[in-house]
Amino acid sequence: MSSAAAAKPILYSYFRSSCSWRVRIALALKGIAYEYRAISLIKDGGEQFKDEFRSVNPQREVPVLEIDGHQLAQSLAIIEYLEETRPDGASLLPKDAHQRALVRQVSDAIAQGIQPIQNLRVLNHVGDEKKVEWARHWINHGLAGLEALLAKTHGKYSVGDTVTMADCTLVPQLYNARRFKVDLSQFPIALAIENELIKLDAFKAAHPSAQPDCPESERGTQ
Ligand SMILES: N[C@@H](CCC(=O)N[C@@H](CS)C(=O)NCC(=O)O)C(=O)O
């Protein structure tokens, strides 16, 4: 094993970042130990904008995973990399091509369709007066479509009865929806899946309230 492959992976993360949370779940499901490096998205205008972070991710966002001598960004690309390089342990993408496409479809619906419109920098641009209404509107819109998709794909979890990358994206998005007071009772399928997922140790370990950079006042609030 090369020294790069032997080094402990480093995750640049913010406890409340839903994109970082996806990767934390995947790492936990695969049983990969890592060093946690906190990047506060709010302190001093955001540590993602500091000069030191530019070389880590010029897109100025988390997560970034340093692994095998690489610096990888984009949560779904990271999870797919973990899947391809660490096939042992939990498998986050099904072998069957159609099932795999469904997992990517659900994941993309959240990661490309919902989260970007309610990302911090977008909300900051929308402004304090409108940002809550904006986020609630777009999350609501996105989750309505997602619920219809899940009606076709779900079993115990988002796609069938095995935990996949789709589940890594679902739980953090529902947490964001709650922050913006979206009425989740409209989405019973998503809620039932979440109810199963939060029983799992990997999901507990990856929760914002269990991260080293979670403020004391929010600890243990899972
Ligand atoms: N598509 C990227 C999105 C990454 C992203 O938007 N990260 C957010 C936190 S969830 C961020 O760092 N935002 C910083 C900002 O908006 O300034 C991914 O899936 O990793």
Side-chain angles (χ1 to χ4, degrees), residues 76 80 83-84 92-94 96-112 149 159 164-166 169:
L76 300 189
E80 296 232 11
E83 181 66 15
E84 286 171 28
L92 303 177
L93 284 151
D96 176 79
H98 178 231
Q99 293 295 303
R100 199 161 61 241
L102 292 180
V103 167
R104 290 182 174 134
Q105 194 178 335
V106 172
S107 305
D108 282 345
I110 297 169
Q112 326 301 355
L149 174 58
V159 179
T164 63
M165 179 168 75
T169 63

Short mmCIF file of all heavy atoms in Angstrom, two decimals, residues 76 80 83-84 92-94 96-112 149 159 164-166 169:
data_model
loop_
_atom_site.label_atom_id
_atom_site.label_comp_id
_atom_site.label_asym_id
_atom_site.label_seq_id
_atom_site.Cartn_x
_atom_site.Cartn_y
_atom_site.Cartn_z
N LEU A 76 -21.46 13.79 -4.16
CA LEU A 76 -21.85 12.54 -4.83
C LEU A 76 -20.65 11.91 -5.53
O LEU A 76 -20.51 10.68 -5.56
CB LEU A 76 -23.01 12.77 -5.81
CG LEU A 76 -24.31 13.33 -5.19
CD1 LEU A 76 -25.44 13.31 -6.22
CD2 LEU A 76 -24.73 12.56 -3.94
N GLU A 80 -19.28 8.21 -4.77
CA GLU A 80 -19.04 7.22 -5.85
C GLU A 80 -17.59 6.73 -5.83
O GLU A 80 -17.30 5.57 -6.09
CB GLU A 80 -19.41 7.82 -7.21
CG GLU A 80 -20.89 8.14 -7.31
CD GLU A 80 -21.58 7.55 -8.52
OE1 GLU A 80 -20.98 6.71 -9.22
OE2 GLU A 80 -22.75 7.93 -8.76
N GLU A 83 -17.26 4.23 -3.14
CA GLU A 83 -17.89 2.98 -3.57
C GLU A 83 -16.96 2.19 -4.49
O GLU A 83 -16.81 0.97 -4.36
CB GLU A 83 -19.21 3.32 -4.28
CG GLU A 83 -20.00 2.14 -4.76
CD GLU A 83 -20.54 1.28 -3.63
OE1 GLU A 83 -20.56 1.72 -2.47
OE2 GLU A 83 -20.93 0.13 -3.91
N GLU A 84 -16.31 2.91 -5.42
CA GLU A 84 -15.46 2.21 -6.40
C GLU A 84 -14.15 1.74 -5.79
O GLU A 84 -13.61 0.70 -6.19
CB GLU A 84 -15.18 3.13 -7.59
CG GLU A 84 -16.41 3.26 -8.48
CD GLU A 84 -16.27 4.33 -9.55
OE1 GLU A 84 -15.12 4.60 -9.97
OE2 GLU A 84 -17.29 4.90 -9.95
N LEU A 92 -23.16 1.18 -1.60
CA LEU A 92 -24.08 2.32 -1.66
C LEU A 92 -24.71 2.52 -3.03
O LEU A 92 -25.55 3.39 -3.21
CB LEU A 92 -23.34 3.59 -1.21
CG LEU A 92 -22.74 3.48 0.19
CD1 LEU A 92 -21.96 4.72 0.55
CD2 LEU A 92 -23.83 3.21 1.22
N LEU A 93 -24.26 1.72 -3.99
CA LEU A 93 -24.85 1.76 -5.34
C LEU A 93 -25.14 0.32 -5.77
O LEU A 93 -24.25 -0.52 -5.73
CB LEU A 93 -23.89 2.41 -6.33
CG LEU A 93 -23.83 3.94 -6.21
CD1 LEU A 93 -22.48 4.47 -6.61
CD2 LEU A 93 -24.91 4.58 -7.06
N PRO A 94 -26.39 0.05 -6.17
CA PRO A 94 -26.73 -1.33 -6.54
C PRO A 94 -25.97 -1.80 -7.77
O PRO A 94 -25.57 -1.00 -8.60
CB PRO A 94 -28.23 -1.24 -6.85
CG PRO A 94 -28.70 0.06 -6.32
CD PRO A 94 -27.52 0.97 -6.27
N ASP A 96 -27.31 -3.71 -10.14
CA ASP A 96 -28.23 -3.66 -11.27
C ASP A 96 -28.28 -2.24 -11.85
O ASP A 96 -28.46 -1.26 -11.11
CB ASP A 96 -29.63 -4.07 -10.77
CG ASP A 96 -30.67 -3.96 -11.86
OD1 ASP A 96 -30.72 -4.86 -12.71
OD2 ASP A 96 -31.40 -2.94 -11.87
N ALA A 97 -28.13 -2.14 -13.18
CA ALA A 97 -28.00 -0.82 -13.82
C ALA A 97 -29.24 0.06 -13.61
O ALA A 97 -29.12 1.27 -13.39
CB ALA A 97 -27.73 -0.99 -15.31
N HIS A 98 -30.42 -0.55 -13.68
CA HIS A 98 -31.63 0.25 -13.51
C HIS A 98 -31.77 0.75 -12.07
O HIS A 98 -32.04 1.94 -11.83
CB HIS A 98 -32.87 -0.57 -13.92
CG HIS A 98 -34.15 0.18 -13.72
ND1 HIS A 98 -35.23 -0.33 -13.03
CD2 HIS A 98 -34.52 1.44 -14.09
CE1 HIS A 98 -36.20 0.58 -12.99
NE2 HIS A 98 -35.80 1.66 -13.63
N GLN A 99 -31.51 -0.15 -11.12
CA GLN A 99 -31.58 0.27 -9.70
C GLN A 99 -30.55 1.36 -9.41
O GLN A 99 -30.80 2.31 -8.67
CB GLN A 99 -31.32 -0.94 -8.79
CG GLN A 99 -32.40 -2.00 -8.84
CD GLN A 99 -33.73 -1.48 -8.30
OE1 GLN A 99 -33.82 -1.03 -7.18
NE2 GLN A 99 -34.76 -1.52 -9.13
N ARG A 100 -29.36 1.20 -10.02
CA ARG A 100 -28.30 2.19 -9.82
C ARG A 100 -28.73 3.55 -10.38
O ARG A 100 -28.52 4.60 -9.77
CB ARG A 100 -27.01 1.69 -10.49
CG ARG A 100 -25.78 2.36 -9.99
CD ARG A 100 -24.52 1.57 -10.30
NE ARG A 100 -24.30 1.38 -11.72
CZ ARG A 100 -24.25 0.20 -12.32
NH1 ARG A 100 -24.41 -0.92 -11.64
NH2 ARG A 100 -24.05 0.12 -13.63
N ALA A 101 -29.38 3.51 -11.55
CA ALA A 101 -29.88 4.76 -12.14
C ALA A 101 -30.92 5.41 -11.23
O ALA A 101 -30.95 6.64 -11.09
CB ALA A 101 -30.47 4.49 -13.53
N LEU A 102 -31.76 4.59 -10.60
CA LEU A 102 -32.78 5.15 -9.69
C LEU A 102 -32.11 5.80 -8.48
O LEU A 102 -32.55 6.86 -8.02
CB LEU A 102 -33.76 4.06 -9.24
CG LEU A 102 -34.68 3.50 -10.32
CD1 LEU A 102 -35.60 2.43 -9.74
CD2 LEU A 102 -35.51 4.60 -10.99
N VAL A 103 -31.07 5.16 -7.96
CA VAL A 103 -30.35 5.75 -6.82
C VAL A 103 -29.76 7.09 -7.22
O VAL A 103 -29.87 8.08 -6.48
CB VAL A 103 -29.24 4.78 -6.33
CG1 VAL A 103 -28.29 5.49 -5.37
CG2 VAL A 103 -29.86 3.56 -5.66
N ARG A 104 -29.19 7.16 -8.42
CA ARG A 104 -28.61 8.44 -8.87
C ARG A 104 -29.72 9.46 -9.13
O ARG A 104 -29.54 10.66 -8.90
CB ARG A 104 -27.77 8.22 -10.13
CG ARG A 104 -26.49 7.45 -9.83
CD ARG A 104 -25.64 7.29 -11.06
NE ARG A 104 -24.35 6.69 -10.75
CZ ARG A 104 -23.79 5.69 -11.44
NH1 ARG A 104 -24.41 5.17 -12.49
NH2 ARG A 104 -22.62 5.21 -11.10
N GLN A 105 -30.85 8.98 -9.61
CA GLN A 105 -31.98 9.89 -9.89
C GLN A 105 -32.47 10.55 -8.60
O GLN A 105 -32.65 11.78 -8.54
CB GLN A 105 -33.11 9.10 -10.55
CG GLN A 105 -34.19 9.96 -11.17
CD GLN A 105 -35.27 9.14 -11.86
OE1 GLN A 105 -35.03 8.00 -12.28
NE2 GLN A 105 -36.44 9.70 -11.98
N VAL A 106 -32.65 9.76 -7.56
CA VAL A 106 -33.10 10.33 -6.28
C VAL A 106 -32.01 11.26 -5.72
O VAL A 106 -32.29 12.38 -5.27
CB VAL A 106 -33.43 9.20 -5.26
CG1 VAL A 106 -33.70 9.79 -3.88
CG2 VAL A 106 -34.61 8.37 -5.74
N SER A 107 -30.76 10.79 -5.78
CA SER A 107 -29.65 11.60 -5.23
C SER A 107 -29.55 12.94 -5.96
O SER A 107 -29.39 13.99 -5.33
CB SER A 107 -28.32 10.84 -5.37
OG SER A 107 -28.41 9.57 -4.78
N ASP A 108 -29.63 12.89 -7.29
CA ASP A 108 -29.52 14.13 -8.07
C ASP A 108 -30.72 15.04 -7.84
O ASP A 108 -30.58 16.27 -7.84
CB ASP A 108 -29.41 13.82 -9.58
CG ASP A 108 -28.01 13.37 -9.98
OD1 ASP A 108 -27.08 13.57 -9.18
OD2 ASP A 108 -27.86 12.82 -11.08
N ALA A 109 -31.90 14.45 -7.68
CA ALA A 109 -33.09 15.28 -7.44
C ALA A 109 -32.86 16.17 -6.22
O ALA A 109 -33.28 17.34 -6.19
CB ALA A 109 -34.32 14.39 -7.24
N ILE A 110 -32.16 15.64 -5.24
CA ILE A 110 -31.88 16.42 -4.03
C ILE A 110 -30.62 17.28 -4.22
O ILE A 110 -30.64 18.50 -4.03
CB ILE A 110 -31.70 15.48 -2.81
CG1 ILE A 110 -33.02 14.73 -2.54
CG2 ILE A 110 -31.25 16.26 -1.58
CD1 ILE A 110 -32.91 13.60 -1.55
N ALA A 111 -29.53 16.62 -4.63
CA ALA A 111 -28.23 17.31 -4.63
C ALA A 111 -28.10 18.34 -5.76
O ALA A 111 -27.38 19.33 -5.61
CB ALA A 111 -27.11 16.28 -4.73
N GLN A 112 -28.77 18.09 -6.87
CA GLN A 112 -28.70 19.07 -7.97
C GLN A 112 -29.99 19.89 -8.08
O GLN A 112 -29.98 20.99 -8.63
CB GLN A 112 -28.44 18.40 -9.35
CG GLN A 112 -27.56 17.17 -9.35
CD GLN A 112 -26.15 17.39 -8.79
OE1 GLN A 112 -25.77 18.51 -8.48
NE2 GLN A 112 -25.40 16.31 -8.65
N LEU A 149 -41.47 10.59 -6.83
CA LEU A 149 -40.42 9.68 -7.30
C LEU A 149 -40.23 8.53 -6.31
O LEU A 149 -40.16 7.35 -6.70
CB LEU A 149 -39.12 10.48 -7.48
CG LEU A 149 -37.85 9.71 -7.84
CD1 LEU A 149 -38.03 8.93 -9.15
CD2 LEU A 149 -36.67 10.68 -7.97
N VAL A 159 -34.51 3.52 -2.24
CA VAL A 159 -34.61 2.63 -3.41
C VAL A 159 -34.51 1.21 -2.89
O VAL A 159 -33.44 0.74 -2.50
CB VAL A 159 -33.49 2.93 -4.44
CG1 VAL A 159 -33.61 1.99 -5.64
CG2 VAL A 159 -33.56 4.39 -4.91
N THR A 164 -28.68 3.12 0.43
CA THR A 164 -27.86 3.53 -0.72
C THR A 164 -27.48 5.01 -0.60
O THR A 164 -27.90 5.71 0.33
CB THR A 164 -28.64 3.36 -2.05
OG1 THR A 164 -29.77 4.25 -2.00
CG2 THR A 164 -29.08 1.93 -2.27
N MET A 165 -26.75 5.47 -1.62
CA MET A 165 -26.37 6.89 -1.71
C MET A 165 -27.60 7.80 -1.64
O MET A 165 -27.53 8.91 -1.10
CB MET A 165 -25.61 7.11 -3.03
CG MET A 165 -25.17 8.53 -3.28
SD MET A 165 -24.00 8.65 -4.66
CE MET A 165 -25.08 8.43 -6.07
N ALA A 166 -28.73 7.32 -2.17
CA ALA A 166 -29.95 8.14 -2.14
C ALA A 166 -30.34 8.46 -0.69
O ALA A 166 -30.77 9.58 -0.39
CB ALA A 166 -31.09 7.39 -2.84
N THR A 169 -28.46 11.28 0.90
CA THR A 169 -28.90 12.63 0.52
C THR A 169 -30.25 12.99 1.17
O THR A 169 -30.50 14.15 1.46
CB THR A 169 -29.03 12.79 -1.02
OG1 THR A 169 -30.03 11.90 -1.49
CG2 THR A 169 -27.73 12.50 -1.72
#
